Amino acid sequence: MPPKLTSNAQDSKKPLFAKYGLNHVVALIEAKKASLVVIGHDVDPIELVVFLPALCRKMGVPYVIVKGKARLGTVVHKKTAAVLAIQEVRSEDQRELATLVSAAKANLYVFLLGYASGQGADFFGSSDKYEEQRRQWGGGIRGNKSTAMLRKRAKAAGQNPAAAHLTKL
């Protein structure tokens, strides 16, 4: 006899799990469905996850780097997990997820996994501080060779050689 289909709303709800596996997490990031991405720091070979922070920044998904892929494995009931993503949480846990995401964006050091047992894992976030440093890169101070080249071009163009360093030629 086939099982009965129930129309109960609680049975038809999608279960909330931490998603793991590199291909699955990359697909969630690309679809912008991940709320938070957690990356293990000791993944070997590192080339498996080295592109994830750049992808997360590009797609606007907050990420954290956690000490130990074995700790990520305990979250998903496996031996190890290189990367996992939190997609949805219960409504009563939305506030905690929001604080984790804001801490990741502010680049604070916070205990994420195992903080109840005293084995907290420092994590490093993305976004705000990274963007500030990235936009301020370089001082605009030219070396002797490029300054001489710009003066030479300005002289050939008939401009004031002293103002040549202010404009691009």
Side-chain angles (χ1 to χ4, degrees):
M1 183 170 176
K4 291 183 181 180
L5 297 176
T6 61
S7 63
N8 191 357
Q10 290 220 347
D11 291 339
S12 64
K13 273 190 173 180
K14 189 170 94 173
L16 303 175
F17 295 114
K19 314 293 184 183
Y20 67 99
L22 189 60
N23 290 336
H24 191 193
V25 170
V26 167
L28 290 174
I29 294 169
E30 288 174 345
K32 295 184 180 180
K33 291 184 178 180
S35 299
L36 180 67
V37 175
V38 185
I39 305 167
H41 88 286
D42 58 347
V43 177
D44 189 40
I46 193 67
E47 287 83 9
L48 292 175
V49 296
V50 76
F51 68 95
L52 282 176
L55 180 65
C56 288
R57 277 193 301 270
K58 179 182 176 187
M59 302 306 279
V61 176
Y63 71 94
V64 292
I65 298 173
V66 179
K67 182 179 175 184
K69 63 182 181 180
R71 291 183 183 187
L72 296 180
T74 59
V75 173
V76 294
H77 304 292
K78 299 285 183 190
K79 190 174 178 182
T80 60
V83 62
L84 64 90
I86 298 172
Q87 188 175 5
E88 297 175 7
V89 294
R90 295 186 301 239
S91 59
E92 59 263 18
D93 294 331
Q94 284 288 345
R95 181 181 295 149
E96 291 181 28
L97 179 64
T99 56
L100 286 175
V101 168
S102 65
K105 286 187 176 182
N107 200 10
L108 297 175
Y109 298 99
V110 176
F111 293 105
L112 179 62
L113 299 175
Y115 68 96
S117 64
Q119 299 177 349
D122 293 333
F123 76 91
F124 312 95
S126 65
S127 295
D128 296 338
K129 287 193 178 180
Y130 173 78
E131 291 298 323
E132 287 176 19
Q133 292 297 323
R134 191 173 71 98
R135 289 191 181 128
Q136 294 176 359
W137 184 75
I141 301 171
R142 298 185 186 273
N144 291 334
K145 290 181 182 178
S146 63
T147 305
M149 177 192 63
L150 288 176
R151 284 189 182 146
K152 184 178 176 182
R153 285 185 187 170
K155 187 176 180 183
Q159 295 178 353
N160 184 6
H165 70 279
L166 298 175
T167 61
K168 275 190 166 178
L169 293 178

